[in-house]
Amino acid sequence: MDNAVLLERRDGVAVLTLNDPERRNALTLASSARLADLVRQCEEDPEVSAIVVTGAPPAFCAGADLTVLGESKAEGLRGIYAGFLAVANSSLPTVAAVGGAAVGAGLNLALAADVRISGPRARYDARFLQLGIHPGGGMTWMLQRVVGPQTATAMTLFKQVPDAEEARRLGLSFATVDGDHDALVAAAVELAAPAARGPRELVKTIKRTLRATSAMTGHAEAVDAELVAQVESMGTPEFAELLATMKARISGSS
């Protein structure tokens, strides 16, 4: 199943593409394991500093193929979760390029990314209720954190399916991109490029801090958390080089 998810590197950004268009990129145990493995490879690759996740057209991901679970349903479901949980837990910044329907577990995969951008055909469809199955993989938690309880309830229980423009209005998607799938992926890579160009460890530390401070209730706690990381960053060779360049530029202009 090495072709179930494709990996392409573009100037420090890894593009992971679910590659089963005939089945609308439905997640199987094999494809989820492959996705999780590729995320780990990216984290271990010093040349990769950001990840874009997408699906081969026409869909982003049509959800989980529940017919592959067999008798061990709990274990099988955790196997399905493995791919999008790897994205959710990645130490690298992640962007989901959603060019078509993101349904059920496919919605989970989109929600797992730090940022989502939408193509004109994007649709964000919870659909668990319509399939007669309870949401899984932490969908209710992820969705409420992104769009709030009211919109999460409307999507989960009232069959509301935001399209690209509505998703942007709701804060579910950061931006919409006109054009075809290639244009969408190019836009996602461009969005991720500043992170890919930055010092890799600093990028990872900033992402870690963003997650930590999002759970804090007070400004003072966030100030203390950032202070430790900021002082550490000022002791790195990258900062010393930048500082030397700035000083040289100032001296040259005086």
Side-chain angles (χ1 to χ4, degrees), residues 47-246:
E47 300 301 315
V48 172
S49 296
I51 298 173
V52 169
V53 180
T54 191
F60 175 72
C61 175
D65 183 350
L66 299 181
T67 66
V68 304
L69 296 185
E71 295 299 320
S72 182
K73 291 185 173 60
E75 182 180 347
L77 285 168
R78 288 191 180 277
I80 293 291
Y81 300 164
F84 63 73
L85 289 181
V87 174
N89 295 325
S90 177
S91 61
L92 300 177
T94 54
V95 179
V98 182
V103 182
L107 175 60
N108 283 1
L109 177 58
L111 291 169
D114 298 314
V115 175
R116 287 154 294 285
I117 64 172
S118 305
R121 295 167 57 94
R123 290 173 64 81
Y124 296 85
D125 188 350
R127 201 182 293 189
F128 286 97
L129 177 62
Q130 286 71 47
L131 296 174
I133 185 174
H134 193 282
M139 191 217 77
T140 58
W141 183 82
M142 290 191 291
L143 188 58
Q144 289 186 90
R145 284 172 64 86
V146 172
V147 299
Q150 180 171 244
T151 297
T153 299
M155 290 177 62
T156 306
L157 291 176
F158 300 156
K159 202 179 178 181
Q160 297 301 298
V161 182
D163 61 12
E165 289 303 322
E166 182 70 359
R168 183 175 184 182
R169 186 186 70 80
L170 294 169
L172 179 56
S173 174
F174 178 71
T176 55
V177 178
D178 292 330
D180 60 11
H181 184 258
D182 289 342
L184 175 65
V185 173
V189 171
E190 183 179 0
L191 178 64
R197 290 193 293 265
R200 192 173 191 266
E201 289 307 311
L202 179 58
V203 167
K204 292 167 66 176
T205 300
I206 293 173
K207 173 168 176 173
R208 188 164 59 246
T209 299
L210 281 165
R211 290 192 166 180
T213 55
S214 71
M216 295 176 183
T217 57
H219 190 180
E221 185 182 6
V223 169
D224 289 343
E226 290 179 352
L227 181 62
V228 173
Q230 190 172 47
V231 169
E232 288 180 355
S233 70
M234 294 174 71
T236 62
E238 291 86 355
F239 180 73
E241 181 179 349
L242 177 62
L243 191 61
T245 301
M246 293 172 61

